[in-house]
Each structure stands twice: as C-alpha cells, then as structure tokens.
C-alpha cells in the first residue's frame, strides 16, 4: 500500500481501491472505497459500506437499516452505486491499495465465501452481471506439484521441483521424509528443510551433499564369467569371479557407500558380495535375490572395489556406484519425501520415492 496526496490520487485509474487517510475510518471520512473516473478537480467513487438496490436516498437507506435491526433481510447490496466526493480538500491524503494488495483482498473474500458455504455452489442469477465481472471462485490451492528432478543415481542428495498454487496464505513449505511405504505423520516425520515460497511460483530444492561423484564411472575389468553388454554386467555360473575397479583413491578409515541393482539372479545359493580390495580386504555380507543393493564399507588401506558372483550365480546387474560418505549426505536408503504447506490446512504432496545410494 502507499499514501498519496490528492493531486496524485486524481491521476490514478478507475478501479483503484483506497481509504481516506488516516487508515482507521472516522465519521465523515467513509470506509474502503473504489475510485471511478476523475471529473475535473473532483472524482467519483463507490463506498463499500453497504448501499442497496432500489435505495433512492438516505431516508430509504436508514429505513432499511432500521428494518435489519428488527430481523428483516435487506434488499441486495448494490455494488454499482457511485457518487461524487464533492469535498475539494487539497490537504486530503489517500491510502491506496497496490494491485498485489487488492489481489490478496479478493483472495481473502473468495476464502470467506467458501468458508461460509464449503460446497462452493455459486450461481449468478443477476443477468445484468457480465461474465467479465464475475470472479473465478475456484478454491485456491497451496501446492500444485512436487516431483523429483536432477540426475540419478542419487549420491547422498536428492533434488526436487516444487510448484505452488494460488493460495496467498502460503508462505513456506516443509520438506519431510519417512521410510518408503511408511505412514506419513508430519509431527513425527524427519524434517529435512523449510523453503520460503510465494504463491504461483516454481522452486528447485536440493537436500544433501551435491559434491559426491561415482568412483565407478569407468568400465570395470572383467574376470572369468563376466561380460558387459548395453551397460549391464552379466555373470555366468561356473566360477566365483569378480568385476574389478582397480586404482581407486580410497582414504583409510573413511566410510564408502556402494550400490548396484540386480535385474535377475538364478542358481542354488546364488549371491553377490562386494569388497574394498587391496591392502586388506573389506567384504560385505552375502547379497542374494534381485532388487536394489545398498550398503557401506569402512576402508583400510584399499586400492580397489569388486563385485563378486559366486560359482552358482547366473545374474544381470547394473548401476554400480561407490563414493565416500560425508556428514552432509542424506542417509542411505529408500525414502518417501513429502511437501507440507505451512499455515494452510491442505494435505501434503507426496510421496515422492527416492533411492539414496
């Protein structure tokens, strides 16, 4: 909002929402008004304090008010009644709504309508109201979308795109997570961040450490029984053998996260294991079955990484990753993320399921 003098006020366009300054209306100064056209050194306006259809003068106006005090309903409010100001006070100041302020007021009035009648079943019966004069009474929403973005696999971080709706009450969104498939309760879920937002806007939100790189980006060395095709590694039964990534810069004492996906596996007792090799092997537990494999290994004086298939294993794997874990990394696992609007009674958006390697 802003306060302008009378000279400036007369230059403002029709439709300007205003109240005569001071902001608290007092007798003789009126309440909130809508400016219409400027007429010479005067202007026309509509006072939003109720005037009624068919009310020709102040006497009739007083009669209607007296009837309402006795429980009578008033005639329809007339929002097209204007009159000249006629005061010509050059010292008068005006507090003027900016467009953004007026839009917020309209939004608040819309909410009041829906609070009064939650069904939202509004029909305009007055044929004199043009379609262009009718407000869109579609209920406002706080959130429009919440989706995962960014590159995969997710190495200690997750990225999301958030779009807000038109609800002007929304000022922030909380990002929370729970274990994949778990029931979501915002009071007990893990809060991972809060984003200040504006209505009808789009945001990119990233949580975790974005500096991590996959140490297994180069093709591995193939031991007996392993082959590569179309980005996937195949192991044939008959010998226990390894996919090998040698010559890695591994820090003793650091924790390394690994991950790979088993597309298929067969054979009696078939399983994989992973290990940090060279300088004292650090080996995982046996990893049978299909699906996503995730885990950690604490390094010794190692120089490489291997994925082993045992002698009975016939399998297909892909998306192998290895990286050093940091304190900023999102916890490893499969998580459901939710976007929770703050200050608005609206259901969270989610779940968005993310695999953190």
């Amino acid at each position: 909002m802003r306060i302008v003098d009378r000279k400036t006020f007369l230059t403002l366009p029709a439709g300007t929402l205003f109240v005569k300054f001071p902001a608290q209306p007092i007798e003789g100064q009126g309440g909130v008004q809508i400016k219409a056209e400027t007429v010479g050194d005067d202007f026309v306006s509509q006072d939003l304090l109720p005037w009624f259809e068919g009310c020709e003068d102040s006497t009739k106006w007083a009669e209607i008010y007296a009837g309402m005090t006795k429980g009578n309903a008033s005639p329809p409010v007339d929002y097209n009644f204007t009159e000249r100001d006629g005061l010509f006070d050059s010292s008068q100041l005006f507090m003027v709504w900016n467009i953004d302020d007026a839009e917020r007021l309209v939004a608040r009035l819309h909410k009041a309508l829906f609070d009064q009648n939650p069904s939202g079943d509004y029909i305009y019966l007055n044929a004199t109201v043009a379609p262009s004069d009718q407000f869109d009474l579609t209920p406002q929403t706080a959130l429009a979308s919440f989706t995962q973005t960014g590159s995969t696999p997710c190495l200690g971080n997750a990225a999301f795109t958030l779009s807000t709706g038109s609800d002007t009450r929304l000022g922030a969104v909380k990002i929370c997570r729970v274990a994949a498939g778990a029931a979501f309760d915002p009071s007990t879920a893990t809060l991972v961040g809060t984003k200040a937002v504006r209505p009808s806007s789009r945001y990119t939100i990233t949580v975790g450490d974005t500096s991590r790189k996959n140490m297994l980006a180069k093709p591995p060395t193939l031991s007996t029984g392993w082959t590569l095709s179309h980005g996937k590694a195949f192991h044939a039964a008959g010998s226990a053998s390894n996919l090998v990534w040698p010559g890695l810069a591994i820090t003793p004492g650091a924790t390394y996260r690994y991950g790979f996906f088993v597309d298929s596996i067969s054979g009696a007792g078939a399983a994989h294991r992973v290990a940090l090799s060279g300088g004292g092997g650090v080996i995982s537990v046996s990893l049978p079955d299909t699906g996503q494999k995730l885990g950690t290994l604490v390094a010794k004086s190692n120089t490489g990484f291997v994925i082993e298939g045992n002698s009975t294993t016939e399998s297909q794997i892909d998306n192998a990753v290895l990286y050093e874990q940091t304190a900023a990394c999102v916890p490893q696992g499969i998580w459901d993320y939710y976007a929770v609007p703050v200050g608005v009674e609206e259901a969270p958006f989610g779940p968005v399921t993310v695999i953190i390697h």
Side-chain angles (χ1 to χ4, degrees):
M1 302 181 79
R2 57 194 174 117
I3 295 175
V4 301
D5 59 20
R6 191 172 189 278
K7 181 178 180 182
T8 302
F9 179 79
L10 292 176
T11 67
L12 299 180
T16 296
L17 197 65
F18 73 96
V19 63
K20 289 183 175 180
F21 192 76
Q24 295 298 326
I26 59 176
E27 185 177 357
Q29 288 192 294
V32 179
Q33 302 177 60
I34 301 174
K35 181 182 180 296
E37 67 271 17
T38 296
V39 181
D41 194 31
D42 199 5
F43 63 92
V44 177
S45 66
Q46 177 186 345
D47 196 323
L48 294 186
L49 291 176
W51 193 264
F52 304 100
E53 291 183 1
C55 183
E56 297 87 2
D57 53 38
S58 58
T59 300
K60 181 64 175 177
W61 182 84
E63 291 177 358
I64 293 172
Y65 268 83
M68 286 193 291
T69 64
K70 299 175 182 178
N72 299 331
S74 74
V77 176
D78 186 353
Y79 283 116
N80 291 295
F81 176 82
T82 59
E83 60 182 345
R84 292 276 287 265
D85 182 66
L87 296 180
F88 303 100
D89 184 352
S90 61
S91 65
Q92 178 68 61
L93 298 177
F94 300 82
M95 186 168 66
V96 176
W97 271 250
N98 295 328
I99 289 180
D100 181 65
D101 299 319
E103 288 176 344
R104 288 173 179 266
L105 175 59
V106 170
R108 185 62 185 86
L109 292 174
H110 283 178
K111 181 181 181 300
L113 289 175
F114 283 98
D115 288 344
Q116 186 178 12
N117 179 9
S119 71
D121 186 16
Y122 301 106
I123 301 174
Y124 285 92
L125 299 178
N126 186 351
T128 64
V129 179
S132 60
D133 293 331
Q134 298 182 19
F135 292 121
D136 180 6
L137 295 180
T138 302
Q140 292 186 322
T141 57
L143 300 179
S145 65
F146 179 58
T147 57
Q148 183 185 2
T149 54
S151 60
T152 56
C154 299
L155 306 183
N157 69 82
F160 305 93
T161 296
L162 172 73
S163 295
T164 58
S166 57
D167 198 322
T168 56
R169 298 170 300 167
L170 182 67
V173 175
K174 293 180 178 179
I175 308 300
C176 301
R177 70 165 182 263
V178 295
F184 180 72
D185 181 346
S187 65
T188 59
T190 300
L191 175 65
V192 300
T194 302
K195 180 73 173 179
V197 298
R198 291 176 58 86
S200 303
S201 300
R202 185 180 177 89
Y203 300 90
T204 297
I205 300 171
T206 302
V207 295
D209 188 341
T210 60
S211 68
R212 302 297 86 193
K213 305 295 182 184
N214 185 9
M215 299 170 66
L216 309 183
K218 293 183 179 180
T221 299
L222 305 177
S223 299
T224 302
W226 284 97
T227 57
L228 292 178
S229 178
H230 302 291
K232 298 181 182 291
F234 298 83
H235 184 264
S239 63
S241 56
N242 300 329
L243 286 176
V244 182
W245 284 267
L248 302 180
I250 295 176
T251 303
T255 298
Y256 287 82
R257 293 183 180 182
Y258 66 81
F260 63 98
F261 192 87
V262 181
D263 296 294
S264 64
I265 188 169
S266 60
H272 300 95
R273 292 190 303 175
V274 301
L276 297 176
S277 58
V282 180
I283 306 173
S284 75
V285 298
S286 181
L287 304 170
D289 305 322
T290 58
Q292 184 68 56
K293 308 301 177 183
L294 301 171
T296 60
L297 299 168
V298 179
K300 297 180 180 178
S301 298
N302 306 115
T303 58
F305 178 76
V306 302
I307 300 177
E308 176 197 70
N310 67 20
S311 60
T312 62
T313 297
E314 185 170 322
S315 65
Q316 174 182 301
I317 70 173
D318 60 4
N319 293 328
V321 302
L322 181 76
Y323 67 97
E324 183 178 343
Q325 176 179 287
T326 67
C329 286
V330 173
Q332 190 179 44
I334 305 177
W335 304 100
D336 284 344
Y337 282 83
Y338 291 80
V340 183
V342 177
V344 179
E345 293 184 3
E346 183 174 295
F349 254 60
V352 176
T353 303
V354 181
I355 301 173
I356 305 294
H357 287 74

